[in-house]
Amino acid sequence: MTLFVVGLGLADERDITVKGLDAVKSCERIYLEAYTSILMVPKERLEAFYGKPVIVADREMVESEADVILHNADKVNVAFLVVGDPFGATTHTDLVVRAKENSIPVVSIHNASIMNAIGCCGLQLYNYGQTISIVFFTENWRPDSFYDKIKQNRDLGLHTLCLLDIKVKEQSLENMARGRKIYEPPRYMTVNQAVEQLLEIEEKRQQNGKWLRGGMESVRSIYSPNTIAVGLARVGAEDQTIIAGTMQELLTADFGGPLHSFVIPGNMHFLEADILRTYAVNRETFNANAVVLEH
């Protein structure tokens, strides 16, 4: 028998592959990983499409109760469903390792993920550098380690895909400390929030750099409010939204509901710039800050 790790794609119940659907229909138990990403439909839509019940697997179950998911998987087929592609998060690799350690055969069935579907904005996939994650800032925690990766990408002329934070079934620090199983409402970072945090980090780095140099030297910005960027929402869905413009323009652009993603372009071929212009807030001024490489 087999543990099937099945990618669901990006939008709804119909994005599963034929091979993935065949595997799911052969399974006795079906788990839906529900914290690294979300589909744009409720699990009831999946259940109706599969003709089988679906068990929602939250972070606690996947990370601390993997044995529950793997129970009896050497005797019956079990499916572990992942939004996007099965290996978009390291947690899923860990589950595969645990299965193999227990001599449970594993079959991975791939699908589209934001890592390849991001090509819909027109920036060529082979020109992307390191992908970064941007987490929600708190009053006392404002991490900026991703800034150095953006710098490395920009120095090489490469595009940067920014994955934006989601908070599903999260506890407040107080409830966690008191052991209370009370969870915060789900939150999904918007492009607007990501841009606001990115600009805050740039300003912070500028101030720190000038202080370290005694205020005598200028510090090169990695990006600024005038930097061209791209915001995307609900990639793969019928109401997919793509908006390009300066970071300042994207601060107030309306992207609608989750999930959102963000791209900081590097050097652009003129065809990439031409496609982005079709999504621009202001097509007349769009190329003012873009770097276009002529071949």
Side-chain angles (χ1 to χ4, degrees), residues 123-137:
L123 297 175
Q124 296 167 357
L125 290 178
Y126 51 78
N127 287 335
Y128 280 80
Q130 301 174 83
T131 298
I132 69 162
S133 296
I134 302 177
V135 301
F136 281 111
F137 284 174

Side-chain angles (χ1 to χ4, degrees), residues 43-113:
K43 81 176 181 77
E44 288 77 15
R45 288 266 295 269
L46 301 182
E47 291 174 326
F49 193 63
Y50 304 154
K52 294 196 170 190
V54 173
I55 303 165
V56 174
D58 59 18
R59 181 189 297 271
E60 184 176 351
M61 173 179 279
V62 177
E63 295 185 349
S64 303
E65 302 174 19
D67 292 343
V68 173
I69 297 172
L70 298 177
H71 175 68
N72 215 31
D74 57 339
K75 298 180 176 64
V76 300
N77 286 346
V78 175
F80 184 72
L81 310 181
V82 181
V83 177
D85 187 78
F87 297 106
T90 54
T91 296
H92 312 139
T93 304
D94 181 66
L95 184 67
V96 169
V97 170
R98 288 170 181 260
K100 290 180 176 293
E101 287 175 347
N102 287 279
S103 300
I104 298 170
V106 178
V107 173
S108 303
I109 301 176
H110 298 281
N111 209 321
S113 77

Side-chain angles (χ1 to χ4, degrees), residues 173 245 265:
L173 291 176

Side-chain angles (χ1 to χ4, degrees), residues 37-264:
S37 189
I38 59 166
L39 279 182
M40 298 168 204
V41 295
K43 81 176 181 77
E44 288 77 15
R45 288 266 295 269
L46 301 182
E47 291 174 326
F49 193 63
Y50 304 154
K52 294 196 170 190
V54 173
I55 303 165
V56 174
D58 59 18
R59 181 189 297 271
E60 184 176 351
M61 173 179 279
V62 177
E63 295 185 349
S64 303
E65 302 174 19
D67 292 343
V68 173
I69 297 172
L70 298 177
H71 175 68
N72 215 31
D74 57 339
K75 298 180 176 64
V76 300
N77 286 346
V78 175
F80 184 72
L81 310 181
V82 181
V83 177
D85 187 78
F87 297 106
T90 54
T91 296
H92 312 139
T93 304
D94 181 66
L95 184 67
V96 169
V97 170
R98 288 170 181 260
K100 290 180 176 293
E101 287 175 347
N102 287 279
S103 300
I104 298 170
V106 178
V107 173
S108 303
I109 301 176
H110 298 281
N111 209 321
S113 77
I114 194 62
M115 300 292 286
N116 54 25
I118 198 67
C120 67
C121 73
L123 297 175
Q124 296 167 357
L125 290 178
Y126 51 78
N127 287 335
Y128 280 80
Q130 301 174 83
T131 298
I132 69 162
S133 296
I134 302 177
V135 301
F136 281 111
F137 284 174
T138 67
E139 184 177 349
N140 301 313
W141 189 58
R142 310 176 90 76
D144 63 356
S145 57
F146 57 76
Y147 182 89
D148 297 313
K149 292 183 179 180
I150 298 175
K151 180 181 185 305
Q152 291 168 12
N153 287 345
R154 299 279 281 176
D155 287 346
L156 293 170
L158 300 175
H159 313 316
T160 303
L161 169 60
C162 307
L163 304 178
L164 309 188
D165 200 7
I166 70 172
K167 298 290 187 186
V168 178
K169 203 176 180 182
E170 297 277 342
Q171 293 174 278
S172 68
L173 291 176
E174 180 182 355
N175 286 329
M176 190 180 299
R178 295 177 180 272
R180 297 186 297 213
K181 296 291 185 178
I182 301 173
Y183 301 100
E184 301 292 296
R187 289 191 296 151
Y188 308 98
M189 183 179 288
T190 65
V191 169
N192 319 98
Q193 291 169 315
V195 172
E196 184 178 2
Q197 292 188 184
L198 283 164
L199 293 176
E200 177 183 322
I201 292 302
E202 178 63 55
E203 183 178 356
K204 173 185 170 184
R205 288 292 186 111
Q206 291 292 309
Q207 292 172 347
N208 289 346
K210 291 175 182 177
W211 179 78
L212 289 172
R213 294 167 177 80
M216 299 301 294
E217 299 180 30
S218 61
V219 181
R220 185 172 72 88
S221 298
I222 303 306
Y223 51 81
S224 74
N226 293 322
T227 297
I228 291 292
V230 192
L232 304 94
R234 300 170 304 284
V235 171
E238 292 181 0
D239 62 345
Q240 170 178 294
T241 297
I242 304 173
I243 303 176
T246 66
M247 285 192 173
Q248 186 66 46
E249 289 172 328
L250 298 185
L251 266 176
T252 55
D254 181 7
F255 289 88
L259 293 172
H260 292 191
S261 302
F262 186 68
V263 180
I264 303 173

